[in-house]
Amino acid sequence: MSSLPYLIRRSTPLDAGHLTLLAYRAKAHWGYSKAWLAVWNEALTVKADYLRAHDGFVAEAAGQTIGSCILERTTQGPMLEHVWVEPTWHRRGVGRALVQACLALARESHARSVRLHADPHAVGFYERLGAQRLGVVPAPMPGEPDRTLPVLEFVL
């Protein structure tokens, strides 16, 4: 039996709806406008087919979904996607446990690194876990045409 107040399990297609709601709550926590959240509608929507195609983990506490992390396998290599933690669970080890679970999966498949495009608010979190900055990618938004996202990499 785990001494943690939450459990980590593999994600399934049945998690799609809960992960979508979690993604919206987690993204909105950073104070983004409703207009920007609307632009991100498709990116924040987690579909059952997506969860069938990629490996990932979900954190649960008292029957509620409180976190997620998906290891997306792309032609450019593995990427972390849909890393979300319920805001009331921040700084309690949930995100760390989820990311470490996905990095372990990547190691098992002999990946040499895992990349991600980080929300600017989450860069410090990933750097504390050992990720290194590689650069930026364009991520323009209404009112901020020069906006970028940091690209980070975990070397395995």
Side-chain angles (χ1 to χ4, degrees), residues 68-81:
S68 69
C69 186
I70 308 297
L71 183 66
E72 187 175 304
R73 299 178 197 281
T74 73
T75 56
Q76 294 81 34
M79 299 277 297
L80 286 186
E81 296 289 348

Side-chain angles (χ1 to χ4, degrees), residues 18 20-30 64-66 85-87:
H18 293 292
T20 296
L21 294 173
L22 172 62
Y24 275 93
R25 285 191 305 272
K27 197 70 163 176
H29 166 77
W30 297 116
Q64 300 296 312
T65 302
I66 61 165
V85 174
E86 188 69 48

Side-chain angles (χ1 to χ4, degrees), residues 61-125:
Q64 300 296 312
T65 302
I66 61 165
S68 69
C69 186
I70 308 297
L71 183 66
E72 187 175 304
R73 299 178 197 281
T74 73
T75 56
Q76 294 81 34
M79 299 277 297
L80 286 186
E81 296 289 348
H82 290 288
V83 182
W84 306 112
V85 174
E86 188 69 48
T88 58
W89 281 85
H90 283 185
R91 298 200 171 269
R92 295 172 69 182
V94 176
R96 174 181 293 274
L98 289 163
V99 168
Q100 288 175 338
C102 279
L103 295 177
L105 271 182
R107 276 187 207 94
E108 288 172 11
S109 66
H110 307 289
R112 294 178 184 224
S113 65
V114 175
R115 291 186 178 186
L116 68 129
H117 298 169
D119 183 287
H121 296 286
V123 171
F125 164 74

